[in-house]
Amino acid sequence: MSVITSTACSRALGDELRRLRDTCTDLGGVHMAQRLGWHPSKVTNIEKGKARASEIDLVQFLTMCGKDIDFFEDFRRRYATAFDEYVLQVSGNLRTLAFAEATAKLITSYDALTVPGLVQTPEYAEALYRVGGFVAEERIPTAVQLRIERQAILARHTRPTCLFYVHELALRQRVGDDRVMEDQYARLMFNTDMVRIVPADVVIPSSGCVLWEYEKSMPVAFSETDLVNVFVQDPGAIARTRLLFDHLEEVALDAGQSRSKLAEYVSPPREDFDGRGPRLA
C-alpha cells in the first residue's frame, strides 16, 4: 500500500469498499483490520481513497466481503487508473460523478448549450435525453430519476456553494414543448442566487466544464460528453479551468441582471410563441 494524493475516483472507489464492508460483513473498520492482519489506519486510508491498495490487498479485502473472482477483476480494472490525474469513464457511469458532487464544498460550472443538470426540471431532463439519442428509451425514466436524485445535495443544510454560468444560447435551445421550457426558466429564476447568464453575443470557446473544490483535497475539473466523462486533477488543467471561470465572472450578467434576462424568457410577448422571440431562436 502506498500513500499518495487522493482523487475524485479513488475516493469514490474507497467509499465503495467501505459500503461493501458495511453491507457484506458485520465488521467495523478496526475489526476488519484485525481479521486481515492490517493496521487500522490502512483500512481507513484505503476506504477514504487516500492510499492505493495493492492487488493482494484488494483480494483480501473483497474476499472478506464474500466477493468472487469476477467481482475482483471488475473492481481491479476500475481501480487501476483511480489515482491518475486524468481518468476517463463511460458517460453512463454516475457513481464517481455523484460522489464528487456530494462531497464538494464549492461547485462552479459552465454550460454552453443546456441547463446544468443540478437545476434541471424532471421534464427538461427527460426531453433532453430523448433528443440526445444516446440513452435507450427504456432507460430514460431511470436516467431522469438518477439526475433528479443528485439534486438532493442542494437541499442539504450543509449544501455546497454553487455557481452555475449558463450561456444564453442554452436558454434558446428548445428542449421539449413550451410548458417544459417555461417551467425550466422558472426553475432557473428560483435559483438566481446560484445562476449567472452569459449574454448571447459573448463568445466563449468552451463547451462547458465543472470545477469541484474540497475542504481537504485537491480540486477536480470535470468535463462531460455523450461518450465519456473526464475527471482531471492535473494542476495545469485546474489552473486553466480557473482562468475560464475568472473570465466568465467578468463577462456574465450579475444576479439582478440574470434575473431580468430570465424574466424575458419566462414571460415573453404573446407573439413570441410563433418563433420570433428569444425563446424560440
Side-chain angles (χ1 to χ4, degrees):
M1 181 188 73
S2 57
V3 178
I4 53 180
T5 301
S6 71
T7 68
C9 298
S10 72
R11 292 191 293 274
L13 287 175
D15 189 66
E16 186 176 337
L17 290 173
R18 179 193 61 77
R19 288 187 289 106
L20 284 172
R21 174 176 57 77
D22 286 344
T23 58
C24 299
T25 79
D26 58 357
L27 302 173
V30 173
H31 290 126
M32 183 71 152
Q34 291 174 345
R35 291 282 188 91
L36 293 170
W38 297 355
H39 190 279
S41 65
K42 181 172 179 175
V43 172
T44 299
N45 287 333
I46 288 175
E47 291 184 349
K48 289 186 175 181
K50 294 181 177 180
R52 182 193 291 274
S54 68
E55 288 197 11
I56 296 300
D57 292 335
L58 291 177
V59 167
Q60 293 174 342
F61 192 103
L62 293 173
T63 299
M64 190 67 68
C65 294
K67 299 304 179 181
D68 60 17
I69 187 63
D70 291 335
F71 188 97
F72 165 76
E73 289 295 340
D74 175 71
F75 192 91
R76 180 185 64 81
R77 176 184 56 78
R78 292 185 288 131
Y79 197 76
T81 59
F83 290 86
D84 293 352
E85 288 185 332
Y86 288 81
V87 176
L88 306 182
Q89 291 187 352
V90 176
S91 185
N93 184 350
L94 298 179
R95 186 190 301 272
T96 303
L97 169 58
F99 188 82
E101 284 178 340
T103 54
K105 293 297 181 182
L106 175 62
I107 298 175
T108 311
S109 76
Y110 168 63
D111 286 82
L113 296 177
T114 61
V115 171
L118 287 177
V119 286
Q120 289 178 6
T121 66
E123 295 77 14
Y124 181 95
E126 179 179 349
L128 192 61
Y129 279 123
R130 292 189 187 283
V131 299
F134 279 86
V135 178
E137 179 69 25
E138 64 273 13
R139 293 183 53 211
I140 289 178
T142 299
V144 172
Q145 180 181 356
L146 291 173
R147 174 157 294 190
I148 300 308
E149 287 176 353
R150 282 168 47 203
Q151 297 176 2
I153 65 170
L154 300 182
R156 291 187 333 212
H157 176 67
T158 56
R159 77 178 194 178
T161 300
C162 297
L163 181 57
F164 304 113
Y165 290 102
V166 184
H167 204 285
E168 190 175 355
L169 295 178
L171 304 182
R172 297 183 176 185
Q173 290 278 358
R174 173 51 57 94
V175 178
D177 59 19
D178 287 345
R179 181 61 180 272
V180 169
M181 294 306 297
E182 288 165 6
D183 289 347
Q184 184 59 73
Y185 297 144
R187 169 71 67 86
L188 290 173
M189 281 197 68
F190 183 76
N191 289 282
T192 45
D193 60 318
M194 299 185 289
V195 175
R196 297 294 180 272
I197 303 300
V198 179
D201 59 353
V202 175
V203 177
I204 303 294
S206 170
S207 59
C209 64
V210 181
L211 182 65
W212 295 306
E213 298 183 70
Y214 302 91
E215 198 169 89
K216 297 181 179 179
S217 300
M218 288 183 61
V220 177
F222 172 76
S223 180
E224 181 179 20
T225 73
D226 294 323
L227 301 177
V228 67
N229 291 341
V230 186
F231 300 82
V232 182
Q233 210 159 291
D234 169 57
I238 297 298
R240 291 192 296 273
T241 302
R242 291 192 189 281
L243 287 175
L244 168 64
F245 288 125
D246 287 344
H247 178 59
L248 287 168
E249 183 178 8
E250 294 177 359
V251 301
L253 304 178
D254 62 26
Q257 292 169 331
S258 295
R259 173 176 283 274
S260 296
K261 176 59 68 175
L262 285 166
E264 296 176 14
Y265 287 83
V266 172
S267 303
R270 199 65 203 167
E271 60 270 18
D272 287 351
F273 282 91
D274 296 326
R276 293 187 290 273
R279 294 177 65 252
L280 304 182

